[in-house]
Amino acid sequence: MTDAASQSDEALLDRFQRAAFGYFLDHVNPENGLVADASRAGAPASIAVVGFALSCYPVAVERRWMTRSDAAARTLVTLRFFCGSPQGDEPDATGYKGFYYHFIDMTTGRRAWQSELSLIDTTLLLAGVLTASVYFDEDTASESEIRARADAIYRRMDWQWARDGGTTERQGWKPESGFLHYGWEGYSEAIILYVLGLASPSFPVPDDSFGAWTATYQWENIYDREFLYAGPLFIHLFSHAWIDFAGIRDRFMREKDSDYFENSCRAIQVQREYAYRNPHGFDGYGGDCWGITANDGPGFETLTIEGRERRFLGYAARGVPYGPDDGTIDPCAALASLPFAPELALSALRHFCARYPEMIRESRLPSSFNPTFRGGGSPRWMSPDYFGLDQGILVLMIENHRSGLIWSLMRRCPYIGAGLRRAGFTGGWLS
Amino acid sequence: MTETIVPPAGAMQDGDWSPKAAPDDRFHRALLDNVRPPAWRNPTPATRYNLVVIGAGPGGLTAAREAAALGAKVALVERDLIGGDRLNVGCVPSKALIRTARLYAEMRGAEDLGGQVPGDIGIGFPAVMARMRRIQARLSGAASARRLSDAGVDVYFGEAGFTGSDTVTVGNAVLRFKKALVATGARPLTPPIPGLAEAGYLTNENVFNLTECPPRLLVIGGGPLGCELAQAFCRFGSHVIIVQDDPMFLPKEERDAAQILSDALAQDGVEIHLNTTVVAARGEGTRKIVDLLCDGDKCSVSVDAILAGIGRAPNVESLNLEAAGVRYDTEAGIHVDDFLRTSNRRIYAAGDVCLKHKFTHAAEASARIVVRNALFLGRKRLSALTIPWCTYTDPEIAHVGLYVREARERAIPVTTFTILMHDVDRAVTDGEEDGFVKIHVRDGSDEILGATVVARHAGEMINGLSLAIGVGIGLRALARVIQAYPTQAGAIKMAAEAYSRTRLTPRLKSLSRRWLAW
């Protein structure tokens, strides 16, 4: 990556965006449309990553990386799989009550790793399904079938069951033990989950569920910046990949005279400020090296480095400023912050290219790296795998920055508007 | 001077980690001389007492002393040891252990402070426990039966039971009263786990009697007791496994506080099983096998001892409350109104037997209310109290007032002013940077609604915020207070200053610039 400095911002972004999209071509099963959770051999499919893939295909068509018919065919294969795969309470089904297991086998499509029936991952899958249903709007047999199957998938999801008799949604369910006995606490990526649950054409959650969830919010002043707190950076990005929150406000944001878009801007400033202050003295942290989020890590190991005991983590939900933080940076999350902080994100990207050129292979950013961890004689740890979530959020957020394509598509999705209105959002593009 | 510790006969056999009694050393004998004198004879009852207090824990002691000091004729009845949980099986012994445990952690982490790790950090567990008993004996002097008697309190040892709306019997003695206070406290809840009772387990009532440190200890419950002792025993060299059925420790506290605690326990080496239930236990020789269930996945662990800390049940049985017309239930305890009066207008309750917040200081504060209300026609309300609390892990986790969620449920808009301890000079110089101060303020004002402090000395720091809430001092006033520098409590002033900076609106900035340019 020696030529990044000489490239224009637009050229640089195009290169990284296209390379990220390449993940979905490299790790898809064309027979069923499933996409691997990560690039490592034998990884199962992640339904959330499939959702990102479905959302990326329209980007690829518009960027002329793929023909519309190819994208439609890939989409249709995927939707046919999710319509037809087994649903039921047997432990190896693909899903239950219209929702899907977090991880499924790449070939058979059956539940993998004894994973949970995941509401948020099903939601991210559904976001991709709905993106496809809006984008593929032509009156052809394949595109008509895409729309019909998308609608069928949505209608089958029983969001009311997923409340387990309560007001708010549960996080998941397992056939062996029933509902996971924890729900959503505090601001999180679940905002799109509630929007789609409220908009369900068949099993809508009650109006007060969104308010019951937002009652757990915390509005904090940290480093002299006031924002709706959530620690991991991805929380401030994921729902925003599909929904343009600029200028629309729910009751909470009206109370605080802000909106969720502005909130992500502030959260990114807090991330950067934390990295600048670098309270734990990790290598590499600084104004251009930030992005602390849920991602891969060096592994659960404690080492003494320069006289200081350091406890490292594997895959974990890292966060700012309360931690956990083990010195692991996610360059994808930093670059995916582009719509909220374009100058900061581009500056970070150029820093990564200049300072750590060896970690960028074929213009693809790694899931994460840790300059403090120096295992095996290497100067720093770098995730050996690419993760579909990282590459997917990169494609979508770079596109939202460049053209606003996904945001404009989802504004046309009637479910998104309906869900937002039922959640109490007003103003902006909802007017 | 050292002394050989002789466990009482049958107290603990080899491999039996369920001790029934404390070792019979001079410290324990000194303790008993104060809190249960072997030769004590109950006094002859007065014709009628102004106040009969049942239970000589923190609440009962406070009420008895204060009432006697005010000239009341007072009887105090205790069935076991004066001092209650606080002195005998609670705060005092646990904090003594925690202090020694912290010393060991600091020795191991000496390099972080530029020091050298001592060559041989051997754990002398008997010495740790002997120090704990010495401290108990020393602090028991203030609560001795003789001193209470000297203060004018008639001290009775024995089981108390109501025999009417204004009488209590203790053995053969009948105590008639104008007013009575039930302050019998609470006891550890028994975990409903098949096989656990047969396998044997520890609670706060016998864990402090241990004479050897269990090599492998399983702690059931991630509340304050479980977390404190899990960390302490881990620092003493036990391999500690802590099992919590919630997805977080201290589920009532802020999730960020629980996250920091989880990281701290992991850093110490505690094996953490969150979102996990203990489904069965059984003894196999000297081992105990415990079956765990997490989201449908089962596993078993083998340990030497089990410590249960899943909550507390009020001591309402055997008081014959029905005879006095006092309503109660076995979960919430004695039912009281905001003046701490029971369904019998002569009888009040205080402390763990009736309060949601089962803390020593809450028991004492509620007992003071009872003295005013019962004896002096007072109208003091329980709901008017500002009660802080603290979990004494490392770092400590302290809270006072409302949580954000509680405020939002009451439709109160809140902004939280947060200072990270890593931005506090004294915390940095002390190498104690984990934690934060969060102060919750009503929007549009500087009124402090609540606060959470996570810091090495959070229990000390929360008291300033408790004072501020109690007397209505807002963040503007706190920002003006000059504090000694450098202190970790300076974080509170830093939060107040962060609030003050939010008042510097763009309009004020503009006016300021124009003034200065003029």
Side-chain angles (χ1 to χ4, degrees):
Chain A
M1 204 62 219
T2 55
D3 57 346
S6 62
Q7 283 194 296
S8 69
D9 289 346
E10 184 63 13
L12 199 60
L13 290 179
D14 190 77
R15 193 145 61 98
F16 276 93
Q17 188 186 20
R18 183 162 191 172
F21 177 70
Y23 178 90
F24 298 96
L25 302 179
D26 297 343
H27 300 284
V28 66
N29 179 351
E31 302 298 318
N32 55 20
L34 297 182
V35 184
D37 173 56
S39 60
R40 67 181 170 279
S46 154
I47 56 168
V49 172
V50 176
F52 275 104
L54 292 171
S55 305
C56 288
Y57 297 145
V59 174
V61 174
E62 296 301 308
R63 292 280 160 206
R64 301 180 187 281
W65 303 332
M66 178 182 276
T67 65
R68 185 178 181 103
S69 60
D70 184 13
R74 288 170 183 267
T75 301
L76 196 50
V77 163
T78 312
L79 299 195
R80 282 174 179 163
F81 167 79
F82 280 102
C83 280
S85 55
Q87 286 267 327
D89 59 5
E90 61 270 27
D92 67 341
T94 303
Y96 181 52
K97 296 283 184 183
F99 298 98
Y100 297 93
Y101 287 103
H102 189 168
F103 298 110
I104 53 181
D105 185 90
M106 280 291 288
T107 305
T108 66
R110 297 219 172 234
R111 180 189 183 202
W113 289 350
Q114 281 210 305
S115 59
E116 81 286 10
L117 193 82
S118 169
L119 261 74
I120 187 60
D121 292 284
T122 301
T123 297
L124 299 179
L125 170 65
L126 178 61
V129 168
L130 294 176
T131 304
S133 76
V134 176
Y135 182 74
F136 292 109
D137 59 354
E138 292 182 358
D139 190 19
T140 64
S142 63
E143 296 198 11
S144 295
E145 187 180 341
I146 286 172
R147 294 193 294 275
R149 288 192 180 274
D151 200 50
I153 288 170
Y154 194 8
R155 285 180 185 277
R156 192 168 57 182
M157 293 175 183
D158 191 343
W159 301 85
Q160 292 176 5
W161 167 81
R163 287 187 290 128
D164 189 25
T167 307
T168 55
E169 295 288 284
R170 307 303 296 174
Q171 287 208 353
W173 176 89
K174 281 188 166 188
E176 295 84 5
S177 52
F179 282 101
L180 308 184
H181 66 190
Y182 44 90
W184 298 96
E185 180 80 16
Y187 178 53
S188 71
E189 72 278 20
I191 192 163
I192 191 171
L193 183 155
Y194 276 96
V195 168
L196 292 176
L198 286 161
S200 166
S202 48
F203 301 102
V205 296
D207 286 357
D208 60 355
S209 63
F210 185 71
W213 173 52
T214 59
T216 66
Y217 280 6
Q218 288 216 11
W219 183 260
E220 292 202 37
N221 179 307
I222 298 174
Y223 302 147
D224 283 329
R225 292 166 177 85
E226 288 193 6
F227 75 120
L228 176 54
Y229 161 73
L233 181 53
F234 86 94
I235 287 177
H236 300 283
L237 304 176
F238 268 37
S239 293
H240 299 257
W242 288 275
I243 301 175
D244 177 10
F245 285 100
I248 64 171
R249 296 173 168 188
D250 62 356
R251 181 180 168 185
F252 182 87
M253 284 301 177
R254 284 193 293 275
E255 184 181 295
K256 299 300 183 186
D257 193 23
S258 185
D259 63 47
Y260 289 93
F261 183 95
E262 171 63 23
N263 198 68
S264 290
C265 298
R266 297 181 191 179
I268 288 160
Q269 290 171 358
V270 169
Q271 280 259 340
R272 185 167 178 265
E273 180 67 25
Y274 175 87
Y276 179 81
R277 296 185 186 209
N278 190 12
H280 303 294
F282 289 119
D283 288 354
Y285 278 31
D288 281 331
C289 190
W290 46 274
I292 296 159
T293 188
N295 54 9
D296 196 13
F300 295 92
E301 191 173 352
T302 300
L303 300 175
T304 300
I305 298 173
E306 294 172 357
R308 200 165 172 183
E309 191 173 275
R310 299 286 197 184
R311 195 169 63 90
F312 296 97
L313 307 171
Y315 201 100
R318 297 167 174 81
V320 163
Y322 308 112
D325 177 19
D326 65 349
T328 301
I329 292 287
D330 185 333
C332 299
L335 182 53
S337 302
L338 205 54
F340 309 105
E343 289 180 6
L344 299 183
L346 278 162
S347 183
L349 175 62
R350 291 187 181 281
H351 173 78
F352 295 139
C353 293
R355 179 74 180 80
Y356 306 107
E358 76 285 357
M359 76 176 183
I360 300 166
R361 295 189 292 253
E362 296 176 354
S363 298
R364 194 175 289 173
L365 287 170
S367 167
S368 52
F369 70 105
N370 189 315
T372 306
F373 186 96
R374 301 180 197 100
S378 159
R380 66 191 64 87
W381 175 86
M382 187 178 78
S383 174
D385 306 309
Y386 296 105
F387 283 76
L389 291 179
D390 295 320
Q391 304 305 318
I393 193 71
L394 260 188
V395 174
L396 299 192
M397 288 310 231
I398 291 175
E399 191 58 35
N400 280 328
H401 171 72
R402 296 176 79 185
S403 72
L405 172 69
I406 304 300
W407 288 341
S408 62
L409 279 176
M410 294 307 268
R411 283 185 189 186
R412 284 163 40 203
C413 175
Y415 296 124
I416 293 292
L420 287 168
R421 287 187 182 90
R422 281 199 69 198
F425 281 84
T426 58
W429 59 268
L430 283 172
S431 300
Chain B
M1 178 179 159
T2 58
E3 184 187 44
T4 303
I5 297 166
V6 181
M12 194 170 82
Q13 307 298 323
D14 285 347
D16 173 10
W17 298 96
S18 303
K20 303 296 187 295
D24 184 24
D25 64 1
R26 64 192 174 100
F27 301 130
H28 187 63
R29 289 192 291 274
L31 172 76
L32 291 182
D33 277 346
N34 285 327
V35 300
R36 184 84 189 215
W40 187 262
R41 290 185 182 280
N42 285 343
T44 303
T47 309
R48 189 159 75 150
Y49 289 100
N50 294 106
L51 184 67
V52 169
V53 179
I54 304 175
L61 281 173
T62 298
R65 283 180 181 137
E66 294 213 353
L70 291 165
K73 188 66 185 165
V74 179
L76 175 64
V77 187
E78 172 56 50
R79 69 176 177 183
D80 192 5
L81 306 178
I82 292 175
D85 280 10
R86 177 190 71 88
L87 175 66
N88 299 295
V89 293
C91 303
V92 169
S94 70
K95 273 57 211 176
L97 290 194
I98 284 168
R99 178 64 188 93
T100 314
R102 195 171 79 203
L103 171 70
Y104 279 111
E106 289 187 331
M107 281 195 280
R108 294 187 191 103
E111 283 186 357
D112 284 346
L113 295 175
Q116 285 192 341
V117 179
D120 177 23
I121 307 177
I123 309 284
F125 191 73
V128 174
M129 302 306 272
R131 173 182 179 270
M132 176 201 75
R133 285 191 295 279
R134 174 166 56 81
I135 288 168
Q136 284 179 293
R138 176 179 164 188
L139 296 182
S140 68
S144 74
R146 284 179 207 89
R147 291 189 70 158
L148 286 165
S149 186
D150 291 347
V153 177
D154 282 357
V155 178
Y156 294 82
F157 285 103
E159 195 82 47
F162 287 97
T163 49
S165 63
D166 63 352
T167 53
V168 168
T169 59
V170 184
N172 295 325
V174 177
L175 313 184
R176 298 180 61 79
F177 60 81
K178 288 183 181 175
K179 296 289 166 57
L181 166 64
V182 181
T184 47
R187 63 185 183 281
L189 273 173
T190 303
I193 298 167
L196 183 64
E198 294 78 8
Y201 64 99
L202 302 164
T203 67
N204 68 299
E205 292 190 336
N206 57 1
V207 70
F208 302 112
N209 297 342
L210 286 174
T211 53
E212 298 170 50
C213 186
R216 297 167 300 173
L217 173 69
L218 181 125
V219 178
I220 304 172
L225 175 80
C227 290
E228 288 179 8
L229 292 186
Q231 189 176 47
F233 276 91
C234 181
R235 290 175 166 188
F236 290 139
S238 275
H239 176 76
V240 177
I241 302 168
I242 186 166
V243 180
Q244 161 79 335
D245 57 2
D246 273 291
M248 293 189 307
F249 293 119
L250 307 181
K252 292 173 188 165
E253 299 295 344
E254 303 212 11
R255 59 180 177 155
D256 304 312
Q259 175 65 53
I260 289 175
L261 174 57
S262 187
D263 291 345
L265 292 178
Q267 185 87 32
D268 273 305
V270 175
E271 184 180 326
I272 296 169
H273 291 256
L274 294 172
N275 201 28
T276 301
T277 309
V278 176
V279 292
R282 59 192 176 279
E284 282 187 4
T286 59
R287 301 181 307 161
K288 301 176 198 302
I289 310 298
V290 184
D291 298 333
L292 308 178
L293 180 67
C294 176
D295 281 344
D297 298 327
K298 288 182 182 170
C299 69
S300 296
V301 295
S302 173
V303 295
D304 302 293
I306 300 168
L307 170 66
I310 61 165
R312 301 178 62 68
N315 290 323
V316 289
E317 298 83 359
S318 78
L319 289 167
N320 199 22
L321 291 166
E322 293 82 356
V326 174
R327 283 200 286 272
Y328 70 97
D329 67 73
T330 53
E331 286 187 11
I334 293 178
H335 299 182
V336 292
D337 62 15
D338 206 20
F339 304 102
L340 292 162
R341 197 166 50 192
T342 71
S343 50
N344 178 335
R345 296 173 66 85
R346 296 171 186 269
I347 300 174
Y348 291 71
D352 293 2
V353 75
C354 64
L355 299 186
K356 179 178 145 194
H357 297 308
K358 299 190 190 312
F359 308 114
T360 293
H361 48 285
E364 292 173 346
S366 60
R368 288 192 182 95
I369 288 179
V370 168
V371 171
R372 300 295 179 281
N373 291 353
L375 302 184
F376 298 99
L377 306 175
R379 300 290 290 170
K380 301 285 184 188
R381 289 180 178 273
L382 177 66
S383 58
L385 296 179
T386 300
I387 300 174
W389 56 82
C390 184
T391 298
Y392 295 91
T393 45
D394 185 8
E396 296 175 351
I397 295 172
H399 179 84
V400 64
L402 294 180
Y403 292 101
V404 171
R405 180 175 199 140
E406 292 173 326
R408 290 185 54 75
E409 283 168 356
R410 298 178 195 185
I412 303 173
V414 181
T415 295
T416 299
F417 289 87
T418 301
I419 296 297
L420 283 306
M421 294 308 290
H422 63 234
D423 285 331
V424 179
D425 289 1
R426 182 59 188 273
V428 175
T429 59
D430 287 346
E432 297 172 355
E433 299 179 52
D434 292 336
F436 56 75
V437 168
K438 288 191 184 194
I439 302 178
H440 311 311
V441 178
R442 183 192 293 269
D443 280 359
S445 78
D446 72 340
E447 180 189 351
I448 301 171
L449 298 167
T452 293
V453 178
V454 180
R456 192 73 180 274
H457 307 290
E460 305 289 343
M461 293 166 67
I462 202 70
N463 291 332
L465 288 160
S466 190
L467 171 70
I469 293 174
V471 300
I473 297 171
L475 277 189
R476 288 170 70 179
L478 282 183
R480 291 196 298 268
V481 173
I482 298 172
Q483 295 188 340
Y485 173 89
T487 61
Q488 294 196 22
I492 294 167
K493 183 173 170 64
M494 290 170 70
E497 289 168 344
Y499 163 80
S500 295
R501 285 193 290 275
T502 65
R503 294 171 48 77
L504 193 59
T505 61
R507 179 179 161 77
L508 276 175
K509 280 184 190 169
S510 171
L511 285 171
S512 174
R513 281 197 197 97
R514 283 160 62 185
W515 169 261
L516 292 169
W518 179 66

